[in-house]
Amino acid sequence: MKEIEVTTKITVKEDGEILAEVKQAAETPDAAAGRAIYPNNGEDITEGEAERYAVASDLANVCEYLEDSEVIKIKLIIQKAQARAERG
């Protein structure tokens, strides 16, 4: 089976200091296709949405290594997104 490499690197910095880094590994075409489907209702999603789900998944995989200050920042990001969802 042909292998496709998908590389996503996310770096969270504050005042020039790297707080967190996440890099997504290579995956097969079947795995990439599976990630592109919204898990709740089977509808196709956009590339941007697939990237957001991948980021959330990567974050879930490293959550045990987060520092308290990083957790606080993530909670603030979630609150902002929830407020936008309520307005929209």
Side-chain angles (χ1 to χ4, degrees):
M1 178 175 277
K2 183 178 176 183
E3 185 173 299
I4 298 173
E5 183 176 340
V6 177
T7 304
T8 304
K9 184 177 179 181
I10 299 166
T11 305
V12 179
K13 292 183 180 181
E14 181 179 82
D15 297 327
E17 179 185 350
I18 297 175
L19 300 177
E21 249 183 15
V22 178
K23 183 176 180 183
Q24 183 175 332
E27 55 188 31
T28 64
D30 290 345
R35 254 190 341 103
I37 302 295
Y38 185 77
N40 291 336
N41 59 12
E43 293 180 11
D44 289 341
I45 60 173
T46 67
E47 189 174 319
E49 289 169 328
E51 183 177 354
R52 287 181 187 88
Y53 291 122
V55 168
S57 176
D58 290 341
L59 182 60
N61 290 330
V62 298
C63 66
E64 64 193 79
Y65 304 106
L66 294 173
E67 295 177 2
D68 291 342
S69 63
E70 295 166 336
V71 172
I72 291 168
K73 290 173 189 174
I74 293 167
K75 285 181 178 182
L76 292 172
I77 291 168
I78 291 168
Q79 287 175 352
K80 288 179 183 179
Q82 286 173 334
R84 279 194 298 273
E86 289 172 3
R87 287 192 304 263

